Amino acid sequence: MEITVNINGTDHSADVEPRKLLVDHIRTGAGLTGTHIGCDTTSCGVCTVLVDGKPVKSCTMLAVQADGRRVTTVEGLKTADGLHPIQQAFSDEHGLQCGFCTPAMMLVGAALIEENPDPSDDEVRWAISGNLCRCTGYMNIVKSIRAAAAAAGNGSSGADD
């Protein structure tokens, strides 16, 4: 089936099997390996991308379902001016360790900040609850997302509300 998916602002057309997963299309079709494959059952969330601005676990979405839609991967967060505030905050606040969950956490965080410019710690924790991290214990991930909101000029200092 012929599909065209806008990935990070660029249209990618391909003939795909109807059963091909979006995560596979992103990684092999578009060559963007920042989207990781973990469990293939939606349990871990490392495959999360933004579809039309909303977090979606790409291991359970078919590529044909993304036809005509806008997909953002971690590679698409970077701006012409440099790193996206969420990327900079994850670096500054040590929100990553091994990095396996980081792309998905950044995308979920960016979507949260877009929807809620000043999220509380609890709101951040709820937003990332579908994404597992086996390294950090989540404290620095929460700090990173709150710092990104503050850096974007939308949020508080990152202190607990």
Side-chain angles (χ1 to χ4, degrees), residues 36-51:
H36 295 149
I37 298 172
C39 65
D40 281 335
T41 63
T42 75
S43 296
C44 72
V46 300
C47 66
T48 301
V49 297
L50 303 181
V51 178

Side-chain angles (χ1 to χ4, degrees), residues 15-86:
D15 187 25
V16 299
E17 290 186 39
R19 64 186 176 140
K20 186 173 190 175
L21 296 174
L22 179 58
V23 68
D24 294 321
H25 181 65
I26 290 167
R27 290 180 61 82
T28 60
L32 299 170
T33 57
T35 303
H36 295 149
I37 298 172
C39 65
D40 281 335
T41 63
T42 75
S43 296
C44 72
V46 300
C47 66
T48 301
V49 297
L50 303 181
V51 178
D52 296 331
K54 302 292 182 198
V56 171
K57 294 178 181 178
S58 63
C59 74
T60 56
M61 182 176 189
L62 298 171
V64 295
Q65 292 174 295
D67 186 29
R69 302 187 67 190
R70 183 176 42 93
V71 174
T72 304
T73 69
V74 70
E75 293 93 343
L77 286 177
K78 189 174 179 184
T79 68
D81 296 331
L83 295 179
H84 184 281
I86 196 85

Side-chain angles (χ1 to χ4, degrees), residues 81-99:
D81 296 331
L83 295 179
H84 184 281
I86 196 85
Q87 293 171 309
Q88 189 62 55
F90 265 74
S91 175
D92 294 345
E93 300 295 331
H94 309 288
L96 57 99
Q97 286 197 5
C98 81

